[in-house]
Amino acid sequence: MPRPPDPFHEFVAELFAPMGSVSIRRMFGGAGVFRDGLMFALLGDDTVYLKTDDRLRTDLEAEGSAPFIWIKPGTGEEIDMGYVSLPSCAMDDPDEASAWAKRALAVAKAKAAAKPLSKPKKKQ
């Protein structure tokens, strides 16, 4: 039986509407936000976190945004996942939210382009 739609996911899809269609997929207790096949945002605890590089992270933190920190089960180790929250002022402004999201999508594209292509597996 399919899960009912998540109201926060629907809100985020509308928030990012100015940048075009996005898809949201549940994963690991949260969700990923995708465009052009790339994940550029992470949803957790009703917060939008954007994929960052150093420059975008600095700009977001200057707006009062905070990083997404994953606590490793069993060890309690804190791991910075490279995502920083969308500024609170953008949460009710689709144009501003989409401007930030476009920057995060550009980061996702650049990181995907920088990954080496996987080698085909050898036949035995």
Side-chain angles (χ1 to χ4, degrees), residues 2-10 26:
R3 288 182 167 173
D6 184 306
F8 186 66
H9 295 182
E10 291 175 344
R26 294 177 192 267

Side-chain angles (χ1 to χ4, degrees), residues 73-84:
T75 66
E77 179 184 359
E78 294 185 359
I79 300 172
D80 186 325
M81 301 296 291
Y83 289 80
V84 176

Side-chain angles (χ1 to χ4, degrees), residues 57-67 84-88:
R57 180 185 198 98
T58 298
D59 292 348
L60 286 165
E61 289 177 346
E63 296 291 324
S65 297
V84 176
S85 62
L86 183 67
S88 58

Side-chain angles (χ1 to χ4, degrees), residues 50-53 57 67-68 79-84 107 111:
L50 301 175
K51 186 173 195 74
T52 62
D53 58 10
R57 180 185 198 98
F68 175 81
I79 300 172
D80 186 325
M81 301 296 291
Y83 289 80
V84 176
V107 169
K111 288 185 178 185

Side-chain angles (χ1 to χ4, degrees), residues 70-122:
W70 179 64
I71 309 295
K72 189 173 183 178
T75 66
E77 179 184 359
E78 294 185 359
I79 300 172
D80 186 325
M81 301 296 291
Y83 289 80
V84 176
S85 62
L86 183 67
S88 58
C89 61
M91 289 298 291
D92 61 0
D93 184 338
D95 290 327
E96 184 176 354
S98 292
W100 285 109
K102 286 176 184 176
R103 290 182 64 190
L105 180 58
V107 169
K109 286 179 179 179
K111 288 185 178 185
K115 285 185 181 177
L117 297 176
S118 60
K119 294 180 183 178
K121 292 183 179 182
K122 292 181 182 180

